[in-house]
Amino acid sequence: MDTGFVTTPFGRRPMSLALMRGQLQAESVKTGRSVDKWKVFRNVCEARPLLGISDRTLAVLNALLSFYPESHLSGEASMVVFPSNRQLMVRAHGIAVTTLRRHLAALVDAGLVIRKDSANGKRFARRKTSGEVEDAYGFSLAPLLARSEELAAMAQKIEADRMALRRARERLTICRRDVRKLIDAALDEGVPGNWNDIEATYTRHLACLPRNPDASDLDGVRLKLEDLRSELVNLLTRFDNSKKTSASVVQNEPHIQNSDKDSLELESSPTVQEDALPPATEKVHSTGRQKIFPLALVLQACPQINDYVQGGPITGWRDLVTAAVTVRSMLGITPETYETACGSLGRENAAIVIACMLERATHINSPGGYLRDLARKGARGEFSLGPMLMALVRQNSRLRRGPEGTCMISAYRDCHQHGR
């Protein structure tokens, strides 16, 4: 090595244990060891956050390395470079002399170079008669050789942390996208749930992220969002299964259709007679506690239900019941609540109630609670569909004042007066 003892800095610059430790570490390098100087420099650039140096400091180190004539730092040669401040300023892209001194001090403090000061503080080399350098004073690059493995490990750690941060951001981004789109899908499908609270939970989790999060911060938020995503998937799965079950029940129910195309079509139900009403009068049927109103009257009072039938307008009771199942889902009414209403009111009357609720959807705060209340009243015999239907007929102003409309009104009045 080029020094065999610990040297102190020139002038008023103090000596420190860190400086002595760095010199002793540089002295411990084996003679035959060498390393590519630019590879070490790249490792220093990667490890810059751990070393606590700036990019301008790296520019000064790059200038110092450019004055070392060999491509490899080797313990067999002198690793002291002795450029003047003017030469360093030129190769460091013209930085000011005060800035140069500050960054040279930063390199020394970081343990990347060692000052080897002469008696008067000047930088120079004393050569032999043969022209070889006998002794040199300036900056020793020996710490770069001594710490080459440490610097390489630091660079690898920085790269690993960078990759971990990138992966954490990618996973969080995917999870955020999943939760956001699952919430949107649930709202579009009308899935029942407290979506205001779910939205607030989603926003609260994201608000926990600091301005410059690390991988652990991102992973912590991601785990919370993954739990929320699992809950959303379970909600959507249960909702989808309930829709399939409801659709299967409706599709598998047998129905009786008269050979007369103009007569009404009734689903087979324990509370509904299997004969159809004559189309000329469309009188109301009464079967015990339950009454089946003319389908034409129902459609006149609730025209919006036609929009929820595939393949055209409603032509029979089966179409109405099928459309009611779709509207039930849209209103956020659970299958259990709807089946309870079917048991209390009859499937046809429950479908009529759903059609009436669709007409007044903007005025009903809790469709499920509203239907449960009507089902309880129907089970006690305290609820009649007639006033609800006629109120909607008058509200929509679509009842024709011809013979057909008069017939429907009289049919309703006959049922209302004699059916109880």
Side-chain angles (χ1 to χ4, degrees), residues 243 246-253 255 265 267 295 305-312 314-330 338 342 347-348 350-352 354-355:
K243 285 182 61 177
S246 300
S248 177
V249 169
V250 173
Q251 291 174 2
N252 292 332
E253 285 183 351
H255 71 279
E265 202 175 65
E267 288 204 271
L295 182 60
I305 195 71
N306 281 293
D307 298 334
Y308 297 88
V309 180
Q310 295 182 354
I314 292 175
T315 58
W317 287 99
R318 184 177 182 82
D319 293 340
L320 179 66
V321 172
T322 303
V325 172
T326 302
V327 174
R328 183 274 306 166
S329 173
M330 185 197 70
Y338 183 64
C342 290
R347 192 165 297 278
E348 292 77 10
I352 295 173
I354 293 293

Side-chain angles (χ1 to χ4, degrees), residues 30-308:
K30 295 181 180 179
T31 305
R33 185 178 174 186
S34 67
V35 65
D36 188 318
K37 65 178 183 181
W38 296 120
K39 182 178 180 180
V40 176
F41 178 71
R42 286 193 295 271
N43 289 336
V44 173
C45 292
E46 288 288 338
R48 181 172 66 85
L50 297 179
L51 293 171
I53 57 178
S54 67
D55 52 349
R56 299 295 297 275
T57 305
L58 290 176
V60 174
L61 178 60
N62 179 78
L64 286 174
L65 286 172
S66 68
F67 286 101
Y68 185 73
E70 305 296 333
S71 61
H72 284 69
L73 298 173
S74 175
E76 297 179 350
S78 173
M79 287 180 282
V80 177
V81 292
F82 40 90
S84 65
N85 283 347
R86 183 175 296 278
Q87 290 173 319
L88 277 175
M89 289 166 57
V90 172
R91 295 200 185 184
H93 313 294
I95 64 176
V97 64
T98 54
T99 305
L100 174 66
R101 288 171 180 161
R102 185 172 66 252
H103 290 298
L104 286 172
L107 288 173
V108 174
D109 293 339
L112 297 176
V113 299
I114 297 174
R115 292 182 186 272
K116 185 182 177 184
D117 290 338
S118 63
N120 58 4
K122 301 294 183 179
R123 300 172 203 153
F124 64 91
R126 183 176 292 111
R127 300 180 181 274
K128 300 178 182 179
T129 55
S130 60
E132 296 178 359
V133 175
E134 179 181 7
D135 203 0
Y137 299 95
F139 295 98
S140 173
L141 303 177
L144 293 176
L145 177 60
R147 300 180 61 186
S148 59
E149 293 180 356
E150 177 191 355
L151 294 171
M154 293 172 70
Q156 291 174 3
K157 182 181 184 305
I158 290 292
E159 180 62 22
D161 291 345
R162 186 183 296 115
M163 290 297 298
L165 182 62
R166 184 183 301 121
R167 293 191 184 99
R169 282 176 175 166
E170 290 174 353
R171 290 193 290 264
L172 178 60
T173 299
I174 292 172
C175 194
R176 287 178 62 179
R177 181 189 66 199
D178 291 346
V179 172
R180 179 69 268 167
K181 292 198 173 184
L182 285 172
I183 292 175
D184 292 341
L187 294 174
D188 292 341
E189 294 290 339
V191 179
N194 195 343
W195 296 109
N196 289 333
D197 288 348
I198 293 175
E199 285 272 8
T201 301
Y202 170 71
T203 304
R204 185 173 63 253
H205 289 335
L206 294 179
C208 293
L209 284 174
R211 185 168 184 175
N212 294 311
D214 56 20
S216 61
D217 295 328
L218 296 173
D219 286 337
V221 174
R222 175 180 56 83
L223 291 175
K224 295 178 182 178
L225 290 182
E226 284 181 350
D227 292 340
L228 182 58
R229 179 176 61 184
S230 299
E231 295 177 7
L232 290 171
V233 170
N234 291 335
L235 278 174
L236 289 171
T237 302
R238 288 196 297 268
F239 178 74
D240 188 50
N241 291 338
S242 67
K243 285 182 61 177
K244 291 179 180 178
T245 302
S246 300
S248 177
V249 169
V250 173
Q251 291 174 2
N252 292 332
E253 285 183 351
H255 71 279
I256 298 175
Q257 181 175 350
N258 292 330
S259 58
D260 187 354
K261 297 298 182 181
D262 294 329
S263 63
L264 292 177
E265 202 175 65
L266 296 176
E267 288 204 271
S268 176
S269 173
T271 62
V272 179
Q273 292 182 353
E274 296 183 358
D275 56 339
L277 293 175
T281 60
E282 292 195 81
K283 291 183 179 179
V284 179
H285 266 72
S286 176
T287 58
R289 292 184 298 105
Q290 305 296 340
K291 304 167 188 173
I292 303 301
F293 293 88
L295 182 60
L297 177 63
V298 174
L299 296 180
Q300 191 168 6
C302 311
Q304 294 186 46
I305 195 71
N306 281 293
D307 298 334
Y308 297 88

